[in-house]
Amino acid sequence: MKYWLFKTEPSCFSLQDLKERPEGIEPWDGVRNYQARNLLRDVVKPGDGVLFYHSNIPRPAVVGLARVVREGYPDATALNPESAHFDPRATEKDPVWYRVDIQYVCSLPAPITRQDMRCHPVLAGMDVLKKGNRLSVQPVSRQQWLAILSLAGLQDSLADCMDRAVQG
DNA sequence: GCCAACGTTGGC
DNA sequence: GCCAACGTTGGC
């Protein structure tokens, strides 16, 4: 299993929004970047862990955990002219864009801010901290994943439990 | 295929 | 609101 950081503007779609979906499940769609598309289509798999990150707010932070529950499949919003993510190049035969489904796992007792991450020897290397990084789907190491759980104040036993919850 | 112009992202 | 970084577009 692998770990990821999914970035979203909470004004657009927040962790709370995910939590309130039926069974806490929502398609992660509207991604229109080829590098992220390739990850969603080919690499992200059910059981993978997701750090849910809120961007473009006064204190951007990892705010919760989710898990992947469905592997990459065509992003139908690209086919819908009514959708903000409509792409005229997409067809049934060649969908161009892909999405996965994720499921809410938990909120962190306290968000882990960028400052928190910068101050941590393991987390300081995270892609999300790198200047100019705009990828909305970023790989995260297991070490980084566990460091987030630990920094969040989750006890080791609870962290293990969360880890298992993600694997499903 | 090059590259300048442009639009978007996103931290600060 | 500013601006750096990045991806995309389109003329040549």
Side-chain angles (χ1 to χ4, degrees), chain A residues 1-128:
Chain A
M1 91 179 266
K2 298 171 295 301
Y3 302 92
W4 308 96
L5 181 146
F6 280 22
K7 193 165 51 177
T8 178
E9 299 190 23
S11 61
C12 179
F13 186 79
S14 70
L15 183 65
Q16 187 62 30
D17 293 330
L18 180 65
K19 185 179 184 178
E20 289 169 1
R21 290 294 192 271
E23 298 182 76
I25 295 175
E26 177 78 358
W28 199 258
D29 54 25
V31 174
R32 297 293 179 264
N33 170 285
Y34 284 103
Q35 209 178 332
R37 188 279 308 267
N38 293 346
L39 291 174
L40 292 177
R41 187 188 58 190
D42 306 327
V43 190
V44 178
K45 296 296 174 188
D48 287 358
V50 173
L51 298 176
F52 203 98
Y53 178 88
H54 282 172
S55 69
N56 226 356
I57 51 174
R59 304 190 67 195
V62 175
V63 294
L65 307 181
R67 62 176 161 197
V68 178
V69 292
R70 182 174 175 184
E71 70 177 357
Y73 64 105
D75 179 354
T77 63
L79 295 171
N80 177 9
E82 307 294 310
S83 169
H85 303 297
F86 175 64
D87 184 341
R89 294 170 302 167
T91 62
E92 294 279 352
K93 206 172 175 187
D94 179 13
V96 185
W97 303 112
Y98 285 76
R99 59 184 167 185
V100 299
D101 289 356
I102 64 169
Q103 180 175 37
Y104 176 88
V105 171
C106 69
S107 298
L108 299 188
I112 304 300
T113 66
R114 298 174 64 81
Q115 190 182 356
D116 295 333
M117 293 184 240
R118 274 193 294 262
C119 292
H120 189 285
V122 171
L123 299 179
M126 290 187 69
D127 287 349
V128 75

Side-chain angles (χ1 to χ4, degrees), chain A residues 132-153:
Chain A
N133 192 331
R134 288 160 36 175
L135 251 200
S136 59
V137 174
Q138 304 175 8
V140 167
S141 73
R142 174 166 175 80
Q143 245 197 332
Q144 290 166 343
W145 168 267
L146 293 176
I148 290 280
L149 298 195
S150 163
L151 250 198

